[in-house]
Amino acid sequence: MPITQLELARRLRAARKACQITQAKAARVLGIPRSAVSQMETGQRGVSGLELHRLAQLYSRDVGDFLEDRFEEGNPVTAMFRAHPELRASSAATASLRLCGELNREVANLHELLELDRGISTIPEYSLRAPRTKWDAVRQGNAAAEKERRRLDLGIAPLPDVASLLGAQGISTVLVRMDDGISGLTLISADGNVLVAANRTHHILRRRFSFAHEYAHVLLDRELRAILSHARDRSNLMEVRANAFAASFLMPAEGVRGYVNALSKGLGSRTRADTFDEEAVTRVEGRKRVDTQNIELHDVVRMAHHFGVSCTAMLYRLKGLDFLTEEERSSLAGQDSMGLSKALRGFLGLPKLDDSDGEIRVHARFVAMAIEAFMRGKITQRKLDELGRLVQISDLSRRLLQAGIGTARCRP
């Protein structure tokens, strides 16, 4: 049902105040007197399509937000800009956040059209006190990761595709181009929709870590609703906790220890192999040659592949579990930076990482909901293509029709 001019005026006023933007600034953007903006916000003056478009950009909204039946006065994107006003200085950051906001809105629409449960209702919330120190933050992150692994019955095995795992929890994942310092962000709408984005420009393994990091925010920092993960904030205790969670979630301590022990490396020079005959213990001790115990780069490459992480992440995890000293980690990291890890992957016969396949899995939940809405006749062919373009899939409806899918339901 079309909204009235008075309701549009109320929405414009609410959106401006949520961004903490003055009427004077809005007037400068529109090139009109401040009094005209005041009249717009009281319903005494109409709003042209061009003016509405410019105000939507200024308020970090989609034009459709102002015209649909539902209107969320304080959306997550607005909250993000309020928490990080410096982002407005970057046109790339502004465009990225607006795209995330649009995707989040479309996810909410698809949930409503398909009558799906809100993602947040199926996800636990671990209520923890705010960490007081970095060590406290690390302990909390590790403990939460272990608890979540138990809840999902993951054991100590490597994780499957992280985006797919989040999708199974009702969380929509997307890839968006962001400034290099931003690894990801989380948006949680008031109605329970959760969208997690990772930086499209980052390597596929870094994006995998970012998705695990953002999942920590969903579990541990849900009340914030809008969270930006930026390199400059890595010393922030909330970010330290999320990084610890991601490392433990992707590389569980017992899984790493089991792998290293199977190599008979990373052990002390003195070893013990006690025997037990149901009555008493016989202690057996011996020494191993020191040169057989060193973890080498080829070991790290194999472990990184096994757990689906970068060599950098694997090296820090090995150091954190006391399998490497800082000197050893730094030495192996130097070899990695010289490109030796890539060469070793080839020598070891490890498959190449396919970024395109990774992108398909990341957007799978969003695309599946869009296709389902199309198949049910809830959205048109034009809308399906519009949704596809949001995740950089062109001519989605044509591809479906060529495959013989949805032919009978095709509507322009």
Side-chain angles (χ1 to χ4, degrees):
M1 184 175 71
I3 65 169
T4 65
Q5 182 169 313
L6 195 60
E7 173 59 17
L8 177 59
R10 186 192 69 79
R11 294 180 179 189
L12 288 171
R13 182 172 63 254
R16 177 182 60 76
K17 288 185 175 181
C19 294
Q20 298 179 325
I21 291 175
T22 64
Q23 287 185 340
K25 181 174 181 179
R28 286 195 298 273
V29 169
L30 296 177
I32 59 177
R34 189 199 64 78
S35 58
V37 173
S38 177
Q39 291 172 345
M40 281 183 184
E41 293 184 354
T42 56
Q44 299 175 28
R45 178 187 182 281
V47 185
S48 70
L50 179 59
E51 288 172 336
L52 185 60
H53 177 74
R54 287 178 176 171
L55 289 174
Q57 285 189 320
L58 179 62
Y59 302 153
S60 303
R61 299 267 188 165
D62 185 89
V63 172
D65 288 352
F66 295 103
L67 304 176
E68 294 180 353
D69 292 340
R70 295 179 307 155
F71 178 72
E72 189 177 351
E73 296 190 5
N75 68 12
V77 176
T78 301
M80 187 78 77
F81 277 117
R82 191 160 54 242
H84 302 274
E86 72 280 0
L87 293 176
R88 292 187 181 277
S90 168
S91 58
T94 301
S96 298
L97 282 178
R98 284 178 180 151
L99 175 58
C100 288
E102 187 174 358
L103 284 162
N104 198 40
R105 183 174 63 85
E106 294 295 358
V107 166
N109 290 339
L110 289 170
H111 268 104
E112 187 168 318
L113 289 173
L114 299 174
E115 299 179 343
L116 299 175
D117 290 335
R118 302 301 181 188
I120 206 72
S121 63
T122 63
I123 306 168
E125 182 175 9
Y126 298 125
S127 299
L128 302 175
R129 60 172 174 76
R132 292 189 286 266
T133 64
K134 288 182 180 179
W135 177 241
D136 197 19
V138 168
R139 286 194 302 108
Q140 286 186 359
N142 289 341
E146 290 174 7
K147 188 173 182 179
E148 185 63 4
R149 270 186 160 267
R150 287 194 298 271
R151 185 185 76 86
L152 297 173
D153 197 23
L154 295 171
I156 61 173
L159 285 185
D161 178 67
V162 180
S164 300
L165 186 147
L166 267 61
Q169 307 303 307
I171 298 172
S172 296
T173 56
V174 295
L175 295 176
V176 177
R177 289 186 177 276
M178 307 180 197
D179 290 347
D180 189 58
I182 301 173
S183 59
L185 60 86
T186 297
L187 300 178
I188 303 175
S189 301
D191 56 6
N193 290 300
V194 185
L195 182 134
V196 166
N199 194 332
R200 182 187 289 275
T201 66
H202 288 173
H203 189 274
I204 185 173
L205 293 179
R206 186 175 178 187
R207 298 195 307 245
R208 180 176 160 88
F209 193 93
S210 296
F211 280 130
H213 177 105
E214 298 306 318
Y215 187 44
H217 287 316
V218 175
L219 296 171
L220 307 175
D221 308 302
R222 189 173 304 172
E223 71 282 357
L224 298 180
R225 296 189 60 205
I227 304 164
L228 185 76
S229 299
H230 199 293
R232 64 167 172 260
D233 299 324
R234 63 167 54 98
S235 294
N236 178 285
L237 295 184
M238 186 176 74
E239 290 297 290
V240 170
R241 184 169 66 183
N243 277 330
F245 174 96
S248 188
F249 198 54
L250 292 169
M251 299 168 281
E254 290 308 309
V256 175
R257 290 191 184 101
Y259 199 110
V260 174
N261 290 340
L263 298 173
S264 295
K265 292 191 174 185
L267 306 172
S269 60
R270 182 176 296 276
T271 62
R272 175 180 294 171
D274 296 344
T275 61
F276 180 66
D277 64 1
E278 299 295 339
E279 290 186 5
V281 174
T282 301
R283 296 194 178 280
V284 181
E285 293 187 347
R287 288 183 177 274
K288 294 175 66 70
R289 285 174 47 199
V290 174
D291 61 359
T292 67
Q293 300 165 45
N294 295 333
I295 293 178
E296 304 292 349
L297 187 61
H298 63 86
D299 299 316
V300 178
V301 170
R302 290 169 60 199
M303 278 188 278
H305 173 73
H306 179 72
F307 289 104
V309 298
S310 67
C311 282
T312 300
M314 196 71 245
L315 285 168
Y316 275 110
R317 186 61 169 153
L318 288 167
K319 177 181 176 291
L321 293 173
D322 293 326
F323 287 114
L324 294 175
T325 65
E326 173 54 28
E327 183 180 2
E328 290 168 335
R329 186 209 65 79
S330 180
S331 175
L332 292 170
Q335 296 176 40
D336 178 38
S337 66
M338 293 168 60
L340 297 183
S341 297
K342 185 176 181 180
L344 283 169
R345 286 187 67 90
F347 295 144
L348 295 170
L350 300 178
K352 292 183 178 179
L353 297 168
D354 188 348
D355 262 25
S356 61
D357 183 46
E359 291 204 14
I360 292 171
R361 291 196 301 271
V362 167
H363 297 135
R365 184 172 186 270
F366 179 77
V367 174
M369 287 194 297
I371 292 174
E372 178 68 16
F374 175 62
M375 295 288 287
R376 292 192 198 176
K378 300 289 186 179
I379 62 174
T380 65
Q381 178 181 343
R382 186 178 295 109
K383 182 64 177 180
L384 178 65
D385 286 334
E386 177 187 322
L387 295 176
R389 284 192 293 272
L390 287 176
V391 291
Q392 298 195 352
I393 299 177
S394 59
D395 301 323
L396 180 54
S397 64
R398 178 180 59 79
R399 296 185 187 189
L400 288 176
L401 296 175
Q402 285 178 341
I405 301 172
T407 306
R409 297 172 176 80
C410 179
R411 301 193 280 135

